[in-house]
Amino acid sequence: MSRKTLEVRIAAGGSYPIHIEPGLLTDVASVCRSQAPAHRYAVIADSQVARLCGPGVMSSLKDAGLDAALIPFPAGEWNKSREQWSSLSDRMLRAGFGRDSAVVALGGGVTGDLAGFVAATYMRGIPVVQIPTTLLAMLDSSVGGKTGVDTEAGKNLVGAFHHPSAVLVDPAVLGTLPRHQRCAGLAEAVKTAAILDAGLWRWIAGRASALVDGEPEASAELIARVVRHKATVVGDDPLERGVREILNFGHTVGHALEALEGYKLLHGEAVAAGMRVEARLGESLGITDGGTSGQIATLLEACGLDGDWETERGPTEIRDAMSKDKKARKARVRCVFLARVGEVATDPDGRHSFALEQEDLAGPLATALRPASEGGDCPDRGRP
């Protein structure tokens, strides 16, 4: 497969490339030199990725004559914290990294968010190159410039927009991931198809087995198709003040579940549960076409995401956790709803999310949390 290069053009000005090619990890140095020239590179990775991928990336940089240091941190979503941000920043300061340095974020979404936030704030901002190593990070968190950390109050409540200088995607590394990690990443692909592209939805449905297995050609094609959509959306709305809201489908409930589970639930698993609940909620409110939640449940099941994580929590505690979401305003929770597969609904003011009164949410949520087998509103599991 030849290299595919997509470009994210930011409405406010500027752009950055997304390179997609199996084996691209061996070409890190040339991309860093051309896209993020720096005196020194801080390669930030969690402990697992540092062990698996760190040596190869460091060899690529050093063989090319680039000064680089590998700075690992403990693996786990719970380490996407202010404490780790502080620790990484302090370690860079002690090592003498200056304003002419750059960060290389090597890993999954936790690393991309955390290392990106370090880059956004270190010396008031230095460049970052994103090298995602999980399917979810390749499809989602590495593109768009969102960085940040979690707090006890909720997910990603402290952060900044800081777009990367480049994104390097090597689909070959997906073969090293556990199956449940690949499945979790497919949640983002299903979300993108659900909000934007019924044709992509059918394409995923026809190749779900190959995608779950991490087949390189199918994975590379999926990444290119999904990232092309995201690049268009974030380019048009880099600071999430308009159409970029649609990317939050499944995330209001999903983030609430993550917080309630102490971030032990994989982000993709939480978003899959969030999409099921928000689709049922949209149907119960008369916003989403009947049968849509069934279509979502069917495709998620084909992608290995049939766990009923949402049924472990009650509607009141999910509602209360939703109220802490960063999109909440004036005691109202904002949710993105589908009109149907491939199309997002808009509210009477033309917004791509709906404001819901917290006090009115418990009842509809109780219905939306019930799976179809227990009588929830999940009819007609057809294909779009």
Side-chain angles (χ1 to χ4, degrees):
M1 173 187 168
S2 60
R3 180 179 300 184
K4 294 184 178 181
T5 298
L6 309 176
E7 189 171 19
V8 179
R9 294 187 177 276
I10 304 169
S15 65
Y16 56 90
I18 304 166
H19 302 293
I20 305 169
E21 182 184 11
L24 191 56
L25 278 182
T26 62
D27 198 26
V28 169
S30 66
V31 175
C32 285
R33 178 180 277 127
S34 62
Q35 303 296 329
H39 176 62
R40 296 181 71 191
Y41 294 89
V43 180
I44 296 178
D46 73 30
S47 51
Q48 294 178 353
V49 174
R51 177 174 52 85
L52 294 171
C53 302
V57 169
M58 291 299 294
S59 293
S60 174
L61 294 170
K62 292 187 175 182
D63 289 349
L66 300 180
D67 187 353
L70 179 62
I71 306 178
F73 68 95
E77 175 79 36
W78 49 92
N79 289 308
K80 198 177 91 172
S81 64
R82 285 173 289 191
E83 291 74 21
Q84 286 300 329
W85 164 81
S86 176
S87 173
L88 290 167
S89 299
D90 287 345
R91 288 160 69 185
M92 288 178 62
L93 289 167
R94 286 195 297 269
F97 282 89
R99 294 193 68 182
D100 53 357
S101 304
V103 167
V104 176
L106 175 65
V110 169
T111 299
D113 284 2
L114 178 59
F117 190 42
V118 170
T121 52
Y122 191 81
M123 301 285 181
R124 294 191 175 132
I126 61 175
V128 60
V129 174
Q130 291 279 357
I131 307 180
T133 59
T134 65
L135 181 56
L136 184 61
M138 292 174 184
L139 297 175
D140 182 26
S141 58
S142 64
V143 181
K146 284 186 176 181
T147 73
V149 295
D150 302 334
T151 72
E152 290 184 2
K155 188 175 173 69
N156 296 326
L157 295 182
V158 176
F161 285 97
H162 189 62
H163 290 278
S165 297
V167 181
L168 281 66
V169 177
D170 184 349
V173 305
L174 296 178
T176 68
L177 293 178
R179 181 181 184 275
H180 72 279
Q181 286 278 1
R182 290 195 296 269
C183 291
L186 290 173
E188 185 65 26
V190 172
K191 182 206 76 175
T192 301
I195 62 176
L196 286 168
D197 191 343
L200 175 60
W201 181 279
R202 292 187 288 270
W203 187 91
I204 295 170
R207 294 161 180 80
S209 179
L211 294 169
V212 167
D213 290 339
E215 197 280 317
E217 291 295 325
S219 298
E221 179 64 22
L222 176 75
I223 293 164
R225 293 181 70 157
V226 172
V227 169
R228 188 174 289 114
H229 277 305
K230 183 162 187 183
T232 298
V233 173
V234 302
D236 290 341
D237 184 14
L239 300 181
E240 196 175 317
R241 292 172 177 166
V243 68
R244 188 167 174 172
E245 282 187 314
I246 66 175
L247 300 178
N248 292 320
F249 174 58
H251 283 61
T252 303
V253 171
H255 283 171
L257 290 170
E258 284 184 278
L260 289 169
E261 295 296 328
Y263 303 110
K264 296 176 183 177
L265 198 61
L266 290 177
H267 179 66
E269 294 170 341
V271 169
M275 286 191 286
R276 283 191 294 265
V277 174
E278 290 177 23
R280 294 178 195 141
L281 186 57
E283 288 177 350
S284 71
L285 296 172
I287 297 169
T288 304
D289 284 357
T292 302
S293 63
Q295 294 171 351
I296 287 174
T298 297
L299 186 54
L300 288 173
E301 182 176 1
C303 292
L305 290 163
D306 52 344
D308 55 353
W309 303 285
E310 62 271 30
T311 63
E312 300 299 316
R313 296 288 177 173
T316 301
E317 60 180 344
I318 290 180
R319 180 201 63 189
D320 292 346
M322 288 168 65
S323 70
K324 299 175 182 177
D325 188 87
K326 61 183 178 296
K327 299 178 291 297
R329 299 287 188 277
K330 297 180 180 179
R332 292 183 174 184
V333 173
R334 297 207 72 92
C335 274
V336 174
F337 294 119
L338 302 179
R340 59 196 58 84
V341 166
E343 183 183 345
V344 171
T346 55
D347 75 0
D349 296 323
R351 283 198 63 170
H352 301 284
S353 65
F354 289 72
L356 306 175
E357 297 286 350
Q358 292 175 29
E359 61 186 23
D360 298 331
L361 260 178
L365 268 175
T367 299
L369 288 169
R370 295 165 60 200
S373 60
E374 296 180 12
D377 295 331
C378 200
D380 186 19
R381 294 194 169 203
R383 291 269 300 277

